[in-house]
Amino acid sequence: MNPRLTAISGRLKGSVFAIEDPPVVIGRETSATLCIADASVSRRHSKIEKEVENFVIEDLDSLNGTFINEVPVKRRELQHGDRIRIGDSQFIFLTHDGDFKASGEIRFDEGPVISGSTLQFKFNDALYVMARDLSALMKISTTINAIRGVEQLQKTLLDLVFEVVPAARGVILLTDGGGDTQETEFSSVFGLDRVRGPDVTIKVSSKVTKWALTHRESILITNESEASKFESSASLIADRPVSVLCVPLIMLDRTLGVIYLDTGEPNTVFDQDHLQLVSAISAITAVAIENARHIEWLVSENQRLIDDFNIEHNLVGESAPIREVLQFISKVAPTDSTVLISGESGTGKELAARAIHLNSKRADKPFMAVNCAALAESLLESELFGHEKGSFTGALTQKKGRLEIADGGTVFLDEIGELSPALQVKLLRVLQEREFERVGGTRPIKVDIRVVTATNKNLEEAVTQGTFRQDLYYRLNVVGLEMPPLRDRPQDIPLLANYFAAKFGQQCNRRITGITTEAQARLVGYDWPGNVRELENAIERAIVLGVTERILLEDLPESILEAQATVSIAGTKYHEAVAQTKKQIILSAMQQAKGSYTEAAKILGVHPNYLHRLIRNLNLKEQLKK
């Protein structure tokens, strides 16, 4: 062996350098074993060292890189005849004497076609041979990186692979991208036959694919005996492919799947060049597949969010609780499930019910709302079910009930907890059979309705106490929605206040430009026991009684002004002084009455209930206990 480097271009052209005592350091510095005075060469550019009987070249983190046969390499075993490019200089690596024609063209190995053996090619090595066929790789990279769908990307990729590899069939198997490859289930499988297209059955060796996934190495099988080592079930032998090539798709530290190619033509055999080329293609493809998957996920997630919140509704707010309500409505609206909406008075239960109806397939049908607490039992029964002519005194004509009028649409029963036991039984029949009889009638009437109910009571407690039927409760509570109280979403209060200010300003023909900082702080700090309905009334009152274009602190109701604000923004000195004066007057009256609320109310000339409210709002209970 006579290892040496022959310079074929650059400043050292025509020189021959013997590699007698490796390692040989190549660089610009004068202490380098092979010094190249060229600015394109780093001080310590690369080195050649001996490993057993072979020579290896390693790039030393150079600025412009080290190239073998025009392929950028980090560390690579050298073969006789390899062309090395360092900066503007090129060398031919020779290990033995013989004819060799120096040329500027890329020289590929001209060894015999590999047959009767299995080659294993590590994924990391592929990164340094990606330029073996630059035109093919550039075309593949440009084409597949412009595709956004995974399925289209797989088909296009196999079409392009067939242009550079003589495969008869190709399959791309994709995993979920997880780390466990022992029990792999493929999330996507796409196969293509060069002649018959995609709609054919292609047999794939499970052991070969599993081996490639597990070891993260490419496999080239070119004879039957080697195939039997991988597939004892003989699926490879049965199909008798001449060559099988399986290359893993690796993205950073994750294995995404494999590219599986085979051919049955006796005159067509895969070789090492094909193995290296497909391995290089897989490095490009893995990134494209990961990007396409991510884009598909983003598109689907974006559509899901649009579907979640692109619903017709009159609910005002952007807080997390209200977003959860809107997401619930988007999911339940398209169904026909019975919905029970619970929550405190004034939280917008009817608005939620209307939103469910407006975003359902029944949106073009009637929405009938009935308040079960607003009517006496006999009137409510007639209102719901209707009555026949002459069924009771005053029934001069036949009347259809709300349930019958709402046929095809939605019936909203508010305050369902106030329903009498007799009507609970009738409603249960409607829910079970979707039929009822009018008051005084004998003919059953079938209806197609969706029932949405609401209550501010705890129906579970009512069931325990025996005031509400358990079977009816379960029929109503198929899907439950809890409307959040306003105190749990204080960030929505300014939005609601401005919404109501604009609404009532237009109704009252008054120009309202906003709410002062002090008034807004007091609104946010108030507990709102009446929830949104109380806030709506407070803003309407401020619009009616106010005299300026902005809602001032003094325009708000006394109950809000008297309440201790929970935020750190102080009110005006006037209102602070008024609050302190009220406290002193009440404390003095309670002291005179010796703690009696009734006597103190008489002294102050107010109703005892109002005195209780003042003490609660002004946080005087603790002082009165002392």
Side-chain angles (χ1 to χ4, degrees):
M1 181 177 286
N2 181 23
R4 62 199 183 277
L5 292 176
T6 299
I8 60 174
S9 68
R11 298 192 178 189
L12 302 176
K13 183 177 180 180
S15 303
V16 178
F17 301 91
I19 304 175
E20 298 175 346
D21 188 21
V24 174
V25 176
I26 305 171
R28 194 173 76 246
E29 64 182 13
T30 56
S31 61
T33 312
L34 199 167
C35 178
I36 306 175
D38 185 348
S40 64
V41 178
S42 299
R43 292 182 181 276
R44 289 174 57 86
H45 198 104
S46 57
K47 70 177 180 179
I48 298 175
E49 56 186 354
K50 191 173 184 179
E51 288 187 355
V52 191
E53 297 299 325
N54 300 314
F55 288 87
V56 175
I57 189 168
E58 180 180 356
D59 185 79
L60 300 177
D61 296 324
S62 65
L63 182 62
N64 294 320
T66 301
F67 294 79
I68 305 297
N69 301 325
E70 291 305 318
V71 177
V73 302
K74 179 63 178 175
R75 183 178 176 84
R76 169 91 180 274
E77 181 179 312
L78 290 171
Q79 303 291 331
H80 176 71
D82 276 345
R83 184 162 61 95
I84 304 170
R85 179 162 65 84
I86 296 174
D88 293 332
S89 299
Q90 297 190 59
F91 304 85
I92 297 297
F93 175 74
L94 303 173
T95 59
H96 54 268
D97 296 332
D99 294 334
F100 180 81
K101 182 180 179 181
S103 170
E105 297 178 0
I106 297 175
R107 180 182 181 276
F108 294 97
D109 292 341
E110 297 294 340
V113 174
I114 296 173
S115 177
S117 62
T118 298
L119 295 180
Q120 298 166 5
F121 189 71
K122 291 185 178 297
F123 171 75
N124 288 338
D125 296 338
L127 299 178
Y128 308 111
V129 295
M130 289 180 64
R132 181 62 58 86
D133 191 334
L134 288 175
S135 61
L137 292 176
M138 285 296 293
K139 179 180 179 181
I140 291 172
S141 177
T142 304
T143 304
I144 66 175
N145 280 294
I147 299 173
R148 294 295 176 259
V150 175
E151 185 175 346
Q152 180 61 35
L153 189 152
Q154 293 176 95
K155 182 182 184 306
T156 303
L157 175 63
L158 288 178
D159 285 334
L160 293 170
V161 168
F162 285 170
E163 292 181 9
V164 293
V165 177
R169 293 168 293 274
V171 179
I172 297 178
L173 308 170
L174 300 181
T175 68
D176 59 3
D180 184 14
T181 57
Q182 297 301 317
E183 297 295 334
T184 303
E185 290 188 3
F186 295 108
S187 59
S188 175
V189 177
F190 184 86
L192 186 65
D193 187 286
R194 182 186 288 269
V195 177
R196 294 180 290 173
D199 300 323
V200 294
T201 300
I202 301 175
K203 290 186 178 180
V204 174
S205 168
S206 60
K207 286 192 176 180
V208 169
T209 56
K210 184 176 180 180
W211 197 95
L213 288 170
T214 303
H215 293 80
R216 296 160 66 90
E217 294 180 7
S218 301
I219 306 168
L220 172 59
I221 302 174
T222 57
N223 74 353
E224 186 175 299
S225 61
E226 291 294 337
S228 62
K229 294 179 182 178
F230 282 97
E231 190 63 72
S232 58
S233 63
S235 67
L236 284 179
I237 299 172
D239 271 1
R240 294 189 179 277
V242 173
S243 291
V244 171
L245 201 160
C246 187
V247 179
L249 294 160
I250 299 175
M251 173 68 179
L252 299 177
D253 60 340
R254 295 186 298 119
T255 306
L256 305 182
V258 297
I259 300 175
Y260 185 98
L261 305 171
D262 71 18
T263 179
E265 295 294 330
N267 297 327
T268 305
V269 180
F270 298 147
D271 58 23
Q272 188 176 8
D273 284 349
H274 297 132
L275 178 69
Q276 292 178 351
L277 179 58
V278 177
S279 296
I281 291 171
S282 76
I284 299 171
T285 303
V287 178
I289 288 174
E290 184 73 355
N291 289 339
R293 277 179 159 180
H294 189 60
I295 290 171
E296 283 188 348
W297 179 84
L298 288 174
V299 170
S300 64
E301 184 68 7
N302 184 56
Q303 187 58 50
R304 185 188 68 79
L305 292 173
I306 290 173
D307 292 341
D308 283 349
F309 297 105
N310 189 23
I311 60 175
E312 189 175 351
H313 65 90
N314 292 318
L315 295 166
V316 177
E318 297 177 353
S319 62
I322 208 68
R323 287 202 303 269
E324 290 177 6
V325 169
L326 294 176
Q327 189 172 14
F328 173 91
I329 292 172
S330 70
K331 290 179 179 179
V332 76
T335 72
D336 271 336
S337 299
T338 303
V339 182
L340 174 62
I341 305 173
S342 56
E344 299 176 8
S345 293
T347 52
K349 296 187 289 295
E350 184 170 346
L351 289 178
R354 288 185 181 274
I356 290 173
H357 171 72
L358 289 173
N359 294 279
S360 72
K361 59 187 177 183
R362 301 173 180 269
D364 58 341
K365 300 295 182 180
F367 176 87
M368 304 302 299
V370 180
N371 190 324
C372 299
L375 299 172
E377 180 181 349
S378 58
L379 293 177
L380 181 59
E381 182 178 14
S382 175
E383 190 73 17
L384 286 175
F385 304 107
H387 60 257
E388 298 289 351
K389 180 180 178 180
S391 57
F392 55 85
T393 303
L396 303 178
T397 59
Q398 183 193 72
K399 176 187 175 182
K400 290 184 177 181
R402 297 291 184 92
L403 299 180
E404 192 172 351
I405 295 172
D407 188 29
T410 304
V411 174
F412 173 59
L413 303 178
D414 199 6
E415 304 294 349
I416 193 66
E418 304 298 330
L419 209 60
S420 67
L423 289 182
Q424 290 180 33
V425 175
K426 289 194 172 186
L427 180 59
L428 181 62
R429 184 191 174 194
V430 173
L431 294 173
Q432 290 176 335
E433 308 296 336
R434 287 298 191 269
E435 68 177 27
F436 61 91
E437 296 172 1
R438 297 194 189 104
V439 176
T442 57
R443 182 177 60 87
I445 300 172
K446 287 279 187 181
V447 287
D448 172 25
I449 56 172
R450 181 182 194 173
V451 178
V452 179
T453 59
T455 181
N456 60 4
K457 287 187 174 182
N458 188 327
L459 291 187
E460 290 186 359
E461 288 185 3
V463 169
T464 303
Q465 296 168 2
T467 58
F468 200 84
R469 294 181 63 96
Q470 186 179 50
D471 49 3
L472 178 59
Y473 171 70
Y474 290 135
R475 285 284 182 179
L476 295 176
N477 194 32
V478 175
V479 184
L481 170 63
E482 178 78 24
M483 293 298 294
L486 191 55
R487 61 180 171 275
D488 288 349
R489 50 188 190 108
Q491 59 267 51
D492 288 339
I493 292 175
L495 292 174
L496 286 162
N498 283 288
Y499 169 77
F500 291 134
K503 172 184 173 182
F504 292 117
Q506 186 176 14
Q507 289 183 5
C508 298
N509 199 24
R510 277 198 56 199
R511 184 174 183 269
I512 301 297
T513 59
I515 304 171
T516 63
T517 303
E518 296 81 7
Q520 196 166 106
R522 188 57 60 92
L523 291 174
V524 173
Y526 185 55
D527 199 38
W528 298 109
N531 292 292
V532 180
R533 186 178 294 120
E534 183 182 4
L535 174 61
E536 182 179 13
N537 293 339
I539 298 300
E540 183 177 7
R541 176 187 183 277
I543 296 294
V544 172
L545 300 180
V547 293
T548 67
E549 291 185 347
R550 303 183 72 193
I551 296 177
L552 307 176
L553 186 62
E554 52 264 33
D555 295 333
L556 301 179
E558 284 191 12
S559 59
I560 298 175
L561 297 177
E562 292 165 357
Q564 184 68 32
T566 59
V567 293
S568 58
I569 301 177
T572 63
K573 291 183 178 180
Y574 166 76
H575 289 97
E576 288 177 356
V578 170
Q580 289 298 325
T581 302
K582 285 184 177 180
K583 288 181 180 180
Q584 292 300 324
I585 293 173
I586 293 169
L587 290 173
S588 176
M590 289 294 292
Q591 188 176 6
Q592 293 179 42
K594 298 180 180 181
S596 171
Y597 281 82
T598 305
E599 292 300 321
K602 289 181 180 179
I603 293 172
L604 295 172
V606 298
H607 194 278
N609 290 343
Y610 181 63
L611 178 60
H612 275 282
R613 195 192 76 180
L614 286 172
I615 291 172
R616 183 178 66 252
N617 289 341
L618 294 170
N619 289 330
L620 293 175
K621 286 188 176 181
E622 293 298 325
Q623 296 184 47
L624 292 174
K625 291 179 181 178
K626 298 178 181 179

